[in-house]
Amino acid sequence: MSPARPDRTALTTPDCQPTVPAAPGRQLTGPAAPRRWLVLGVVAAGLLLGTLGLAGALATKPFAGADEAQHTAYALEIADGRLPELDTPVRSTLPGMPGLAPDCQVPPAAARAAVDRRDVTVLPACARRNGAVLTNFDLVYTANHPPLFYLLEALPLGTGRALDHPVAGFYAARLLNIAVGIAALVATALLVRFLLPARPDLAVGAAAVLAVTGIFIAVTSQVYNDAFAVALITAATAATLALARRGPSVRTLLPVALLVPAAALGRASGGLAAAVLVPAVGLAAALGTRPGRIGLGRAHHARAPGAGWHRPLLAGFGTGAATGLLTSAAAGWFYARNNRLYGDPAGSERAAWMFPTGYGERPVWEIITSQDFWWTIYQGLFGRPTLLRGVAHQVVVGVGLATVLGLLAVAARLALTARARRASTPSDAAAWSPWRELAGPATVSRRGAVDVFCWLTVAAQALLATATLVGYVAAGGATFARYLLPALPVLALAVAGGCSALPLARRGLPTLAVVLALGGTVLVMLGRELARRDPRLDGRAPLAQLRGALEVTAVGADHALLVLAVLTTLGLLGAVLLGLSLWKLTATAVPPWPWRPVPDPDPDSARRPPASPPPTAGGHSAVQR
């Protein structure tokens, strides 16, 4: 008789640490919390985003938002087999779309000359438009962004035009972008899951907060490439964290090899993010490779003769170099093209020259220390600041205060826990170091190094987005909160983390309340935005404004009430499922209120094999097969 084989179906955490299965009839807790509640929470967040996104996509008239015509024109040029330039004129190839006649072809050089000279005589007769002067707003000024998003949107736009249903193709493009936004929610949940493996409630909370953030709804419900960039950057970062926690394997290397180049080819901000992720991928591979590991995946030798520090180093260098080469091959040609046409890889200087703001250059330190700047950015995350008033303004202020108070409480709890740990085990207080893995295979130090790496990688991406925004404003640009979108998943995590430190957090009520309040704010701000463009809607309730807008768009008066009822049902279903998910997950993941220092469990307990059963009288183990 041979010993019983170990159970390979045991639950594992995202860092591949096995957990002890619960006894029959007992509910799994902590890192082994049922995955179904996590999945249910992300589905609920997707329902909320889908509801609000559909409301915005169906109620907002085509090309009513700034830049949507330019993004659509870029995708239609891709559908025609051409890669546009910043000086390519917009052509009105869809009903209601501004621009030149659909069959009017104007070379970019001629369009640039007409704009600079303010003279339409240099243009073909089809482009003179009764003598109207051509301006930079008539050009595809989004052409400095890589083409991957526009290649995706070219499918519904080109198909609708080919089938002689261009309006249907346009709305299908908006719906496709909503699906991209839902993918960003999934990426956010994965990012938080790998960052905080023991807190699945925060993964759901961060995804739900992102789903009801006004600026994210705005860029998701229209043809903008911002949600696409958020999805790819967040997913690529999550894949890098997974590589560090699980080690190199086909399952961890393939997502990195696909997502990092895709992020660089999705938007100009993705190119900056990829520049950070390429070395991070190398470091993640080094941290995930234990000395002596041979090969990929779980099938490897325990230790090879002479194995040591060189194996993680070689794995890290090889993985980072391969990722860098793949990214350069996928997107390098486009940034080289930008540099040749516009003088810099991102084309930002040429775009800024085309649209001067008149603000002038400002010192970076002045911007960083400006309360007005940060307050404007914070308000811009929830909608147009000029429309943010009344109850909507109070909700935004209340969410900010709750987040700050909750994060302060989190910091206090961490300080108390660390103090209690040092007091209880003074001899081991200095034993842990995140860098001890460089000298040896200590399990605790490797996990600590991976934790530090994960937090530094996520913080680097958030700081990069913030630095991009500050640098743009310092160079004389306007204060656009959209430039902070790549950091939005981290901000959503901050809100969810702050809510988890408030009273009643053990049932997820603060997070649910914040999500519902922000969702209502999105509806209010959407109604005000619609009324700003259509004065007939002014003075109505938000749902009445939404119904009035649906009546004059592609939905029509006959189906407006039905669409509104369906959206309301989906929104309520999402709220109920989110509350149920948070109720189940936070019951065991969130510490009680008020917080008390919680003893730190033995970090090696999950790695130790179970104790061998006592031998029987015959000298054999009691567990026989």
Side-chain angles (χ1 to χ4, degrees):
M1 305 294 287
S2 60
R5 295 180 180 179
D7 183 11
R8 298 184 181 271
T9 62
L11 296 173
T12 59
T13 61
D15 56 349
C16 280
Q17 302 302 318
T19 58
V20 180
R26 293 183 57 189
Q27 184 178 5
L28 298 175
T29 60
R35 183 178 299 180
R36 61 179 180 271
W37 300 119
L38 173 63
V39 173
L40 181 67
V42 177
V43 170
L47 282 175
L48 293 177
L49 175 62
T51 300
L52 298 174
L54 281 172
L58 298 177
T60 304
K61 293 181 179 179
F63 316 113
D67 306 341
E68 188 175 30
Q70 283 69 27
H71 287 292
T72 304
Y74 191 157
L76 289 170
E77 290 288 330
I78 293 291
D80 291 335
R82 293 185 298 270
L83 187 60
E85 300 178 12
L86 286 174
D87 297 328
T88 300
V90 175
R91 294 183 299 126
S92 180
T93 52
L94 298 179
M97 183 176 177
L100 305 181
D103 56 348
C104 186
Q105 297 287 344
V106 178
R112 172 48 48 197
V115 172
D116 292 342
R117 301 176 188 175
R118 300 183 62 83
D119 183 8
V120 295
T121 60
V122 300
L123 298 175
C126 64
R128 295 179 184 178
R129 300 186 305 176
N130 299 324
V133 178
L134 196 69
T135 68
N136 286 322
F137 291 97
D138 299 312
L139 308 179
V140 187
Y141 51 76
T142 58
N144 63 314
H145 291 295
L148 186 57
F149 168 77
Y150 305 100
L151 183 63
L152 179 68
E153 292 288 357
L155 296 176
L157 289 170
T159 303
R161 191 175 56 177
L163 297 177
D164 201 22
H165 291 284
V167 175
F170 173 78
Y171 280 103
R174 282 186 171 181
L175 296 182
L176 179 59
N177 208 29
I178 294 175
V180 169
I182 294 176
L185 299 186
V186 176
T188 298
L190 288 174
L191 178 70
V192 178
R193 193 74 174 113
F194 287 117
L195 188 64
L196 296 166
R199 295 298 302 272
D201 60 306
L202 293 184
V204 171
V209 171
L210 180 62
V212 293
T213 302
I215 190 172
F216 190 69
I217 296 295
V219 300
T220 300
S221 59
Q222 301 180 62
V223 184
Y224 291 140
N225 63 356
D226 301 84
F228 190 70
V230 172
L232 287 178
I233 293 173
T234 307
T237 306
T240 304
L241 269 56
L243 176 62
R245 291 202 179 277
R246 294 178 171 174
S249 67
V250 175
R251 294 179 59 185
T252 56
L253 291 175
L254 184 60
V256 168
L258 294 176
L259 291 171
V260 175
L265 202 56
R267 183 179 161 89
S269 58
L272 295 175
V276 173
L277 287 176
V278 166
V281 165
L283 185 56
L287 288 173
T289 304
R290 295 186 180 89
R293 172 176 290 190
I294 299 176
L296 299 178
R298 297 181 180 179
H300 59 271
H301 300 286
R303 180 171 292 275
W309 58 269
H310 63 282
R311 289 193 180 277
L313 183 62
L314 290 176
F317 179 80
T319 305
T323 305
L325 290 175
L326 287 174
T327 304
S328 298
W333 65 271
F334 183 83
Y335 292 102
R337 175 181 181 268
N338 272 356
N339 192 66
R340 175 175 54 84
L341 292 175
Y342 316 124
D344 67 286
S348 55
E349 294 183 3
R350 175 66 178 280
W353 172 81
M354 292 173 64
F355 301 99
T357 60
Y359 294 127
E361 296 184 1
R362 298 171 57 186
V364 173
W365 181 250
E366 176 184 333
I367 298 173
I368 295 177
T369 57
S370 173
Q371 296 181 2
D372 292 337
F373 169 77
W374 294 113
W375 176 239
T376 302
I377 292 297
Y378 178 69
Q379 292 182 98
L381 296 177
F382 304 99
R384 194 180 298 271
T386 56
L387 301 179
L388 195 63
R389 57 182 182 272
V391 177
H393 181 268
Q394 296 174 3
V395 168
V396 169
V397 173
V399 170
L401 289 176
T403 301
V404 171
L405 292 176
L407 292 179
L408 290 176
V410 170
R413 174 182 176 268
L414 292 176
L416 290 174
T417 303
R419 181 179 178 181
R421 186 183 304 166
R422 287 194 299 267
S424 60
T425 56
S427 59
D428 297 335
W432 180 86
S433 171
W435 315 114
R436 281 181 55 189
E437 180 63 17
L438 298 178
T443 300
V444 178
S445 59
R446 192 194 77 83
R447 293 179 61 188
V450 170
D451 289 339
V452 172
F453 165 80
C454 291
W455 280 103
L456 288 179
T457 302
V458 173
Q461 290 291 7
L463 290 176
L464 179 63
T466 306
T468 301
L469 171 63
V470 172
Y472 177 76
V473 175
T479 306
F480 290 142
R482 280 174 59 185
Y483 288 160
L484 201 61
L485 275 169
L488 201 56
V490 180
L491 298 178
L493 172 60
V495 175
C499 291
S500 70
L502 299 176
L504 303 178
R506 284 182 62 82
R507 291 303 182 185
L509 297 182
T511 303
L512 181 63
V514 165
V515 170
L516 295 180
L518 289 179
T521 302
V522 170
L523 289 177
V524 171
M525 297 299 291
L526 175 60
R528 292 174 181 176
E529 194 69 36
L530 295 172
R532 187 180 69 87
R533 302 188 181 106
D534 188 356
R536 294 176 302 174
L537 303 177
D538 195 13
R540 301 186 187 180
L543 290 180
Q545 290 175 326
L546 183 58
R547 179 180 178 181
L550 290 172
E551 291 175 351
V552 298
T553 57
V555 174
D558 296 336
H559 303 94
L561 185 59
L562 175 62
V563 170
L564 190 60
V566 171
L567 293 178
T568 302
T569 303
L570 290 177
L572 292 176
L573 177 61
V576 171
L577 294 181
L578 178 64
L580 179 60
S581 171
L582 291 174
W583 183 280
K584 294 292 186 179
L585 291 175
T586 57
T588 54
V590 178
W593 179 273
W595 274 329
R596 294 181 295 273
V598 180
D600 186 41
D602 183 2
D604 290 334
S605 60
R607 294 179 179 268
R608 296 194 188 103
S612 301
T616 60
H620 298 284
S621 172
V623 180
Q624 300 286 340
R625 181 169 68 91

